[in-house]
Amino acid sequence: MGKSTQIRDEVKSFKDLTIEVQDRGICGKCGGCVSFCSAGEFNALRMEEDGTPRLVDEEKCVKCGICYLICPQIIALNHELDEKMDWKPPIGPFRKLVSARTTSPEIMEVCTDGGVVTSLLTYALEKNLIQAAIVSRRVGPFTRQPMVVTKPEDLIEAAGSHFEETFHLDEIGKRYSSFVPSVRDIRTLGERNLDRIALVGTPCQVYAFRKMQLLRVVPSDTIALTIGLFCMENFSFDEKARKKLEKNIGIKLKNIRKLNIKDNVIVTQENGEVVHVPFEAVDELARPACFACSDFACDYADISCGGLGSPDGYTTTMVRTGIGEKVFNGAKQEKYIREWSPRDKEKYRIHKTEMMAKIVSFALRKKNRAKRTLGE
Ligand SMILES: Cc1cc2nc3c(=O)[nH]c(=O)nc-3n(C[C@H](O)[C@H](O)[C@H](O)COP(=O)(O)OP(=O)(O)OC[C@H]3O[C@@H](n4cnc5c(N)ncnc54)[C@H](O)[C@@H]3O)c2cc1C
Ligand code: SF4
Ligand code: SF4
Ligand code: SF4
């Protein structure tokens, strides 16, 4: 994701994606190109076991350009997207920036920050504003998989970033990855007869989805609400790197109860001890694709959420669009969530200014990192 350009006249296809993304080592293995290939039923593309997309049969490629245009590492539609979403520098449009938290003790018990994401989805499902939500659930340390939830009570399984107490390291396989290929699950929505879906995802996932929406790729029209997560990086590493990570942070993965990311990586151990690990200590385990990514605050979401800038136990919540506002205001009115608003108005004003400054600073830091990676 980078600066805006116009769609070019010539249609680019998977071969161009190979040159511009895979050969540069910045493929995020999101699976979008394979899942939405127009020649999917003829198996023109295939996903390798490690998530790498491959062209199986060039003859079957109809050169439609979909795989190229929806790839999160391709910026060819930025200009159109920015216009459609009314994007403004430096972190996109927003109508409200608040620290908020859930009112549900059950959600608070398991959530990452203030449980706003889970509460907004619970509200939207219970009030029938959406029929389902694409979220992710934990399947091991650093490992999650996408799931489509239709019942509010099932959202609890997706909330937070606690580790399963019963996980067995040896069952997890050779690779750990915190990245969730949720974009692939959009493909299944048509078959499930679901419309009005919410998508929770990282900036790259929301960006890819918005491009599908722009191109009217079916069934992206069924996504009615996007809740984006702030994101500095995601991790993917093998057994050797796991040992290095444990040495770097001085904690065994099996002793980690909860992971959170704000100004740095916050590790809560089983014994309750909390350790703050600087990004630099874990940077080498981040996915290479993340270093080429320039969106921190999920600029194209309806609502963006993070922990940065909020007091502990609160979610920093940016309400960006009309639908985002409808869901946020409804959830607040019906007391699913509440805002942090100290009586001291001057304290509140300073808090908001500082929160905004932190988000902008992280967003610029990420943009500059992407420029360096891409040699711009
Ligand atoms: C990989 C990653 C990196 C992040 N980096 C930052 C950061 O640098 N700074 C910052 O302030 N905030 C960051 N966040 C956001 C922050 O950790 C919280 O997710 C956010 O504040 C929402 O908290 P909550 O308590 O409201 O969410 P909850 O109510 O706990 O809900 C969390 C939701 O996130 C979904 N989810 C969890 N893990 C993933 C994942 N890997 N991919 C996609 N969806 C997932 C769950 O399905 C659930 O719906 C990051 C989140 C992730 C997943
Ligand atoms: S058919 Fe279209 S989506 Fe599939 S590989 Fe060819 S250009 Fe890409
Ligand atoms: S980042 Fe995703 S869409 Fe782009 S080439 Fe890799 S798997 Fe395909
Ligand atoms: S930094 Fe986050 S949003 Fe960007 S590619 Fe990595 S996981 Fe996706």
Side-chain angles (χ1 to χ4, degrees):
M1 288 177 255
K3 62 176 186 288
S4 296
T5 55
Q6 298 271 8
I7 306 180
R8 283 154 227 161
D9 289 332
E10 80 274 22
V11 175
K12 293 205 174 189
S13 70
F14 190 80
K15 273 188 138 183
D16 300 283
L17 205 51
T18 309
I19 297 163
E20 293 178 38
V21 176
Q22 290 188 49
D23 292 355
R24 292 170 87 193
I26 56 169
C27 167
K29 301 181 181 175
C30 69
C33 52
V34 180
S35 305
F36 291 91
C37 169
S38 307
E41 58 194 288
F42 306 115
N43 298 322
L45 301 182
R46 182 183 68 207
M47 186 97 80
E48 302 289 355
E49 215 168 287
D50 71 348
T52 307
R54 289 261 176 269
L55 184 60
V56 183
D57 189 342
E58 202 184 336
E59 296 276 293
K60 303 217 165 105
C61 167
V62 295
K63 311 263 183 309
C64 67
I66 296 285
C67 58
Y68 180 85
L69 290 171
I70 66 171
C71 171
Q73 300 292 31
I74 295 293
I75 60 167
L77 289 178
N78 274 19
H79 182 73
E80 288 76 3
L81 205 52
D82 287 353
E83 269 191 0
K84 187 178 173 217
M85 300 297 299
D86 198 18
W87 188 87
K88 293 178 185 71
I91 49 171
F94 68 94
R95 299 170 181 217
K96 197 178 270 196
L97 172 63
V98 295
S99 296
R101 76 188 304 175
T102 182
T103 55
S104 154
E106 195 192 359
I107 294 174
M108 204 59 222
E109 180 76 23
V110 293
C111 67
T112 318
D113 286 311
V116 168
V117 175
T118 305
S119 292
L120 292 176
L121 295 175
T122 306
Y123 164 77
L125 271 175
E126 286 183 353
K127 302 295 169 189
N128 206 21
L129 298 176
I130 56 169
Q131 292 178 322
I134 302 178
V135 289
S136 69
R137 67 187 177 98
R138 300 172 301 275
V139 289
F142 282 94
T143 312
R144 299 176 80 94
Q145 69 187 31
M147 69 169 177
V148 178
V149 166
T150 52
K151 296 192 206 110
E153 58 271 24
D154 292 343
L155 287 168
I156 291 288
E157 203 186 336
S161 47
H162 291 74
F163 285 171
E164 293 294 345
E165 278 158 32
T166 51
F167 75 76
H168 300 292
L169 279 178
D170 23 326
E171 282 173 16
I172 285 140
K174 288 193 198 102
R175 229 173 155 85
Y176 305 80
S177 179
S178 60
F179 181 75
V180 187
S182 307
V183 164
R184 287 185 223 165
D185 267 39
I186 297 176
R187 186 75 192 173
T188 67
L189 298 177
E191 296 148 26
R192 296 186 199 207
N193 240 352
L194 292 169
D195 49 33
R196 299 199 321 278
I197 321 288
L199 171 72
V200 178
T202 47
C204 56
Q205 291 163 343
V206 172
Y207 177 63
F209 155 69
R210 285 291 186 210
K211 294 203 287 182
M212 288 178 204
Q213 214 177 29
L214 200 65
L215 295 165
R216 298 178 198 273
V217 174
V218 176
S220 63
D221 54 328
T222 58
I223 305 278
L225 172 71
T226 53
I227 302 185
L229 305 171
F230 292 0
C231 183
M232 203 60 193
E233 56 206 29
N234 243 294
F235 306 99
S236 174
F237 52 95
D238 59 14
E239 206 42 42
K240 196 169 147 207
R242 171 180 74 84
K243 290 193 179 126
K244 197 160 176 210
L245 170 71
E246 290 181 337
K247 198 166 159 232
N248 279 2
I249 65 174
I251 302 166
K252 295 249 179 258
L253 284 197
K254 68 178 168 95
N255 293 335
I256 296 178
R257 192 198 313 154
K258 182 180 171 183
L259 263 190
N260 195 2
I261 309 181
K262 286 193 181 193
D263 306 53
N264 46 39
V265 183
I266 306 162
V267 183
T268 307
Q269 301 184 70
E270 284 299 344
N271 63 10
E273 206 181 305
V274 177
V275 180
H276 290 255
V277 181
F279 280 113
E280 292 72 35
V282 290
D283 259 359
E284 61 184 299
L285 307 176
R287 303 172 334 130
C290 297
F291 292 102
C293 167
S294 59
D295 184 356
F296 170 74
C298 213
D299 297 4
Y300 299 110
D302 291 307
I303 301 174
S304 303
C305 293
L308 188 67
S310 280
D312 279 350
Y314 283 82
T315 306
T316 303
T317 310
M318 295 187 85
V319 180
R320 294 181 178 279
T321 64
I323 176 70
E325 198 165 42
K326 184 178 169 192
V327 172
F328 181 88
N329 288 348
K332 192 178 146 193
Q333 223 158 21
E334 299 273 342
K335 299 198 171 18
Y336 283 73
I337 52 169
R338 68 178 169 81
E339 276 180 41
W340 185 74
S341 53
R343 287 222 175 96
D344 183 339
K345 292 295 162 220
E346 183 56 10
K347 190 174 168 192
Y348 191 38
R349 194 191 60 75
I350 294 170
H351 164 69
K352 284 207 173 189
T353 309
E354 286 176 351
M355 185 156 64
M356 183 67 190
K358 275 193 175 177
I359 299 169
V360 170
S361 143
F362 270 69
L364 294 178
R365 188 167 141 191
K366 197 170 170 193
K367 277 190 198 340
N368 288 333
R369 185 177 75 177
K371 277 187 186 159
R372 282 197 306 277
T373 304
L374 297 169
E376 286 173 2

